[in-house]
Amino acid sequence: GRHNTRHLVIHREFFSAHVPHSAPQLDRQLYTAHRCSGQLDLHSLLEMGFTETQAEHLYSTFNTTQSKMGTSVLTALMVLGLNHSTIVKILDRNPALYSLKGDQVQQRIENLWKLGLIEGSIQRVVSFYPQILNVPVKKVNALSHFLRDKCVFTAQQVTDILRDTPEIVEHNVGDLEYKVQYAYFRMGAKQADMVKAKLFRVSLDELRSRHCFLEHRGLYQTPNKKGQTLIINPKLKDFLGVPEEMFLTEVAKATKEEFDIFCRERKEAETEDPQYSEGEEEDDKGNLGQIGYNRRRKR
């Protein structure tokens, strides 16, 4: 059997040929990924460096899912620089990878490189949210263009968003645009503020609840058309994405009971009158929406 095994040597030249020319050259140890006619079996897994326990686990899952995946998907993940233990965890968390082809995975990895997720960042993203490899290149690129063209984020800001919130690739673009518009027009937040606050990790309901509660307590004001306020608003990153207890004690200066009562009354008011919290916001967008975006893009 060993005589019939083809040895695929993966080294720097191979990797460089499969990533964009703009990507930096990476130092990698030479290793050999063995595959028997591309089929996944215990022997090939052991030859690729997996332990017996890891190989048996992968092979068992492979048979259970009735997958046709060969070793090419594993090879693509190894070329990325992920260790065997991490690869096993990735496949456990994202069994959909068993149904993909190695070329698909490699293409999607290369596209993430093109979008700025380079050495270090791309490994963390794939390990944290392996489902990003399930998303077609076309959809990821469409999201990137949407964030740049419709939401006026810079290319570097889009990279930061993908790095910090990779699950955004599965979000509805209409919801994303509404969230950006709310933060921009109702709160006066700039795109850089949204990125620092990791806006897309927060639900729209949480965003509005915390913002409106601060307004209710006189701690936040919507800037006028000149961007001016009578008070100094807290920074977006200081009250979004932080634990509720920290938000209440350090920013809102209120008790949990006060916040819960406010949220409950706000939801009841919205249920009775859907325009309760949207009327003024829609007026602002009607007057300033497209003008505001166009001015930012001309700068």
Side-chain angles (χ1 to χ4, degrees):
R2 185 174 297 275
H3 292 292
N4 295 326
T5 301
R6 291 188 298 167
H7 301 269
L8 177 62
V9 179
I10 312 295
H11 48 68
R12 184 178 303 168
E13 288 74 20
F14 173 85
F15 188 78
S16 299
H18 287 76
V19 297
H21 294 297
S22 60
Q25 294 296 315
L26 305 178
D27 290 327
R28 300 200 178 282
Q29 293 181 342
L30 300 183
Y31 72 92
T32 303
H34 306 278
R35 54 182 190 172
C36 304
S37 301
Q39 296 301 311
L40 192 68
D41 54 36
L42 285 173
H43 176 73
S44 60
L45 289 170
L46 291 172
E47 289 292 303
M48 293 179 76
F50 291 98
T51 66
E52 283 191 30
T53 301
Q54 292 171 338
E56 289 174 357
H57 175 71
L58 288 176
Y59 189 62
S60 175
T61 306
F62 171 77
N63 287 331
T64 301
T65 57
Q66 297 182 337
S67 170
K68 295 182 179 179
M69 181 187 80
T71 57
S72 56
V73 170
L74 298 176
T75 299
L77 295 175
M78 292 177 72
V79 170
L80 189 57
L82 301 172
N83 61 45
H84 297 83
S85 178
T86 299
I87 291 174
V88 173
K89 291 178 181 178
I90 286 174
L91 288 167
D92 284 345
R93 292 178 57 195
N94 183 27
L97 282 174
Y98 282 101
S99 63
L100 298 180
K101 296 179 180 179
D103 290 343
Q104 288 178 303
V105 174
Q106 184 65 41
Q107 183 183 38
R108 292 169 187 181
I109 289 174
E110 291 171 11
N111 189 59
L112 293 175
W113 271 86
K114 292 178 182 178
L115 294 176
L117 294 176
I118 54 176
E119 179 71 3
S121 294
I122 191 168
Q123 286 85 357
R124 287 193 295 271
V125 167
V126 172
S127 299
F128 172 75
Y129 189 73
Q131 291 83 357
I132 197 170
L133 297 179
N134 302 345
V135 185
V137 168
K138 185 176 181 180
K139 184 176 179 179
V140 174
N141 288 342
L143 173 66
S144 175
H145 289 307
F146 168 80
L147 291 173
R148 294 178 64 178
D149 297 339
K150 295 293 185 180
C151 301
V152 203
F153 288 104
T154 65
Q156 182 57 53
Q157 288 171 341
V158 171
T159 298
D160 294 340
I161 290 170
L162 288 172
R163 183 195 64 223
D164 296 333
T165 318
E167 60 270 26
I168 195 176
V169 296
E170 299 286 8
H171 291 183
N172 179 279
V173 293
D175 294 339
L176 295 177
E177 184 173 20
Y178 186 88
K179 188 181 294 185
V180 171
Q181 288 180 341
Y182 183 92
Y184 186 84
F185 296 111
R186 279 284 283 117
M187 303 176 68
K190 305 303 181 185
Q191 278 75 358
D193 301 324
M194 301 179 203
V195 175
K196 290 179 181 178
K198 297 177 174 55
L199 177 69
F200 299 109
R201 286 187 180 182
V202 181
S203 68
L204 178 62
D205 183 64
E206 182 179 349
L207 170 66
R208 294 172 63 180
S209 294
R210 294 192 178 189
H211 165 239
C212 291
F213 187 59
L214 291 176
E215 275 191 328
H216 173 71
R217 296 183 63 80
L219 298 173
Y220 202 103
Q221 285 185 351
T222 299
N224 59 25
K225 294 182 180 181
K226 295 182 179 180
Q228 301 170 333
T229 60
L230 297 177
I231 64 173
I232 299 176
N233 287 332
K235 295 181 179 179
L236 206 62
K237 67 180 180 64
D238 291 337
F239 68 90
L240 286 184
V242 298
E244 185 178 285
E245 182 180 357
M246 185 180 296
F247 162 68
L248 292 174
T249 58
E250 298 186 11
V251 184
K253 308 297 182 183
T255 65
K256 185 178 187 330
E257 182 181 6
E258 289 174 315
F259 184 52
D260 290 342
I261 292 174
F262 173 82
C263 291
R264 183 168 61 250
E265 291 178 346
R266 174 175 163 270
K267 288 183 178 179
E268 290 174 353
E270 288 183 352
T271 300
E272 295 174 2
D273 181 7
Q275 295 183 347
Y276 168 76
S277 64
E278 298 179 6
E280 183 178 345
E281 176 186 340
E282 292 300 324
D283 290 340
D284 287 342
K285 286 198 296 184
N287 294 329
L288 301 174
Q290 193 60 45
I291 296 175
Y293 276 121
N294 287 341
R295 282 178 179 172
R296 287 184 64 80
R297 295 190 68 182
K298 287 179 181 179
R299 291 178 183 176

